[in-house]
Amino acid sequence: MMVKEDIQLFDIDRIRDEFPTLSREVYGKPLIYLDNGATSQKPQVVIDSIEHYYTFDNSNIHRGVHHMSQEATTQYENARVTIQKYINSPTPEQVLFTTGTTGGINLIAHSFGELLSAGDEIIISTMEHHSNIVPWQMLCERKGCKLNVIPINDHGELIMSEFEKLLNNKTKLVSVTHISNTLGTINPIKHIIDSAHKVGAKVLIDGAQSIQHMSVDVQALDCDFFLFSGHKVFGPTGVGILYGKTAVLNSMPPYQGGGDMIDRVTFEKTTYNVLPHKFEAGTPNISGGIALGVAINYLANQDLNAIQKHEHELGVYATTELNKIEGMRIIGTSKEKTSVISFVVEGLHPFDIGTLLDKQGVAVRTGHHCTQPLMDFFNIPGTVRASFTFYNTKAEVDIFIKALNRSINMLR
Ligand SMILES: *Cc1c(COP(=O)(O)O)cnc(C)c1O
């Protein structure tokens, strides 16, 4: 019955067949993978692309006159164009390859950070991932800037009236997550971007949890930076994307120095290359960039509306079933949320629940999810987090809930 419902939306069996890890077992039980917020599984086309690159095309890019180098360069640059189109960036040159969301935020904190001076202010929020907190703290220490934090309410929603109060003409950057990796909250980023622009601040959107669940149009959003990680959007680890507005990127000094980012080097003076190369020093993760293009292309060929409907239904169903459990407290009850569900069970430690779920084949994440200030706000050490994506099924939710009840009974 459950499976049939899924098929009406889109062909879930076909989709699951495309992800080889989904059919493996752990401890002799079928894997129920509910840790998509940490990293997603990879479709066969992405895996094949990496194997193909190293089997047939391996070569350094932007350098060689030889045939293989040119082929590799073309594939890498084509991936950039695929990603440019997917996020509707005006040009491919403003789509920079990074090592991931963390790498991209650090690039901006260093490079854009060079433009800031003592007394300037940066705004983040209570629900940020550590990678959108710590680089700004380091910058504030280097430069004498001030870090302001948007508070949240008990549902895990930003208190927008407080955000408006933090904005002033010293605010140089607002850096917030599109979707919370811990709470699933979808933040009103368009509103944030427009308000920040009114005081002349630039806006960074951490899209690590959004790009795989919804369409993103960086021009419609009008954000100054948009970042995400390859590995959370069905691509490989070690590669990510930093989109930036051309004028902002051009105003920033280079981040790392080395090959590819230069125009001309002499011992007296070095001049820098144009975008995107200015920010892409050294040999990049070539196969990773190409495979990320394949992953984005894979996503582009899915029915995004059907995906969203399916994920929403999974989230609502799992939440309803979880709420039937005695002592259940769901952390993150925003009206606007994705199918990321964090919870604690009264009297039980999240780690113990996660360990017992694992023994039953159910992979969830436990802990603080790189959001310790958020845990402090809710006054908890951590949560169990089940994060769903489009290849998950209602049947998996049923197995998860059954395994959870069994775990709780064992621990009580
Ligand atoms: C995962 C995540 C990051 C960090 O991404 P990395 O791939 O580990 O660099 C940043 N922000 C959010 C919201 C995340 O979920």
Side-chain angles (χ1 to χ4, degrees):
M1 284 291 271
M2 296 302 177
V3 176
K4 240 186 194 157
E5 253 177 61
D6 288 328
I7 286 170
Q8 284 172 3
L9 285 173
F10 60 129
D11 193 346
I12 189 102
D13 289 335
R14 180 187 55 75
I15 287 170
R16 288 183 66 84
D17 281 346
E18 287 165 351
F19 289 79
T21 44
L22 295 183
S23 56
R24 69 160 283 178
E25 296 188 339
V26 281
Y27 306 114
K29 312 235 164 34
L31 168 71
I32 309 293
Y33 187 77
L34 306 182
D35 196 18
N36 298 286
T39 199
S40 61
Q41 297 304 328
K42 321 302 172 200
Q44 191 66 49
V45 282
V46 168
I47 300 165
D48 287 349
S49 135
I50 295 167
E51 190 187 321
H52 191 275
Y53 174 77
Y54 283 116
T55 310
F56 299 105
D57 306 327
N58 176 53
S59 204
N60 210 331
I61 56 168
H62 301 146
R63 287 173 172 84
V65 296
H66 64 81
H67 185 74
M68 258 167 74
S69 170
Q70 286 175 7
E71 263 182 11
T73 304
T74 303
Q75 286 184 53
Y76 192 69
E77 292 307 321
N78 282 348
R80 196 191 303 275
V81 171
T82 300
I83 297 157
Q84 173 217 346
K85 290 189 175 139
Y86 194 70
I87 62 173
N88 195 29
S89 164
T91 71
E93 290 78 29
Q94 28 190 152
V95 176
L96 312 181
F97 282 111
T98 63
T99 55
T101 306
T102 306
I105 295 176
N106 277 279
L107 186 161
I108 296 165
H110 278 266
S111 174
F112 181 80
E114 276 304 300
L115 308 174
L116 305 193
S117 39
D120 284 343
E121 297 184 8
I122 297 164
I123 298 177
I124 59 172
S125 89
T126 307
M127 68 175 82
E128 298 311 316
H129 189 282
H130 292 165
S131 68
N132 196 24
I133 301 174
V134 185
W136 308 118
Q137 289 175 324
M138 293 163 74
L139 170 63
C140 286
E141 235 166 71
R142 278 201 310 276
K143 288 280 183 174
C145 301
K146 184 164 175 250
L147 193 62
N148 293 313
V149 183
I150 311 169
I152 58 171
N153 63 24
D154 289 339
H155 292 290
E157 297 163 326
L158 297 177
I159 303 175
M160 291 299 284
S161 54
E162 294 298 321
F163 165 62
E164 304 285 348
K165 283 186 213 158
L166 291 173
L167 286 170
N168 65 69
N169 59 11
K170 286 189 187 139
T171 312
K172 292 295 179 290
L173 182 74
V174 178
S175 188
V176 290
T177 195
H178 194 173
I179 295 179
S180 161
N181 62 306
T182 304
L183 308 169
T185 308
I186 304 171
N187 287 320
I189 55 165
K190 182 62 187 150
H191 186 147
I192 291 172
I193 292 162
D194 292 345
S195 295
H197 283 166
K198 281 189 192 131
V199 299
K202 306 289 185 239
V203 184
L204 182 163
I205 301 297
D206 172 350
Q209 296 291 338
S210 66
I211 185 96
Q212 61 278 50
H213 297 295
M214 59 178 64
S215 65
V216 168
D217 180 334
V218 290
Q219 291 189 70
L221 285 172
D222 198 29
C223 53
D224 300 277
F225 303 108
F226 188 93
L227 299 93
F228 63 92
S229 299
H231 69 99
K232 291 180 180 174
V233 61
F234 316 110
T237 55
V239 63
I241 292 296
L242 188 179
Y243 156 83
K245 280 187 183 163
T246 302
V248 183
L249 291 175
N250 279 332
S251 75
M252 291 160 46
Y255 172 41
Q256 295 179 318
D260 249 15
M261 57 76 73
I262 51 94
D263 170 35
R264 174 157 168 73
V265 177
T266 67
F267 285 117
E268 288 69 43
K269 182 168 175 57
T270 290
T271 52
Y272 304 123
N273 205 340
V274 293
L275 293 174
H277 310 297
K278 176 179 156 187
F279 289 108
E280 293 182 346
T283 302
N285 180 352
I286 302 168
S287 69
I290 295 169
L292 178 53
V294 173
I296 292 292
N297 193 46
Y298 176 86
L299 194 57
N301 282 312
Q302 305 301 318
D303 179 346
L304 199 60
N305 286 332
I307 284 180
Q308 280 182 326
K309 188 159 181 280
H310 176 69
E311 290 181 350
H312 179 73
E313 282 179 7
L314 286 178
V316 169
Y317 180 58
T319 303
T320 309
E321 294 303 305
L322 283 170
N323 275 326
K324 291 177 185 166
I325 295 172
E326 209 192 301
M328 174 63 55
R329 179 179 166 208
I330 293 191
I331 307 294
T333 48
S334 169
K335 278 190 281 305
E336 298 291 330
K337 72 174 278 185
T338 46
S339 49
V340 169
I341 310 174
S342 264
F343 62 89
V344 289
V345 182
E346 209 185 326
L348 304 181
H349 199 284
F351 181 79
D352 293 336
I353 296 176
T355 305
L356 289 179
L357 283 173
D358 175 54
K359 293 285 181 290
Q360 299 170 78
V362 180
V364 293
R365 174 128 182 227
T366 66
H368 53 64
H369 317 293
C370 299
T371 54
Q372 278 177 353
L374 190 58
M375 298 298 102
D376 292 343
F377 173 84
F378 284 104
N379 203 15
I380 48 176
T383 73
V384 182
R385 182 187 70 183
S387 48
F388 298 88
T389 195
F390 71 111
Y391 49 60
N392 290 121
T393 65
K394 274 189 169 178
E396 286 185 308
V397 175
D398 290 333
I399 296 170
F400 160 57
I401 297 291
K402 220 178 185 178
L404 180 60
N405 275 312
R406 202 176 293 141
S407 308
I408 291 169
N409 288 336
M410 285 168 78
L411 292 167
R412 271 198 179 133

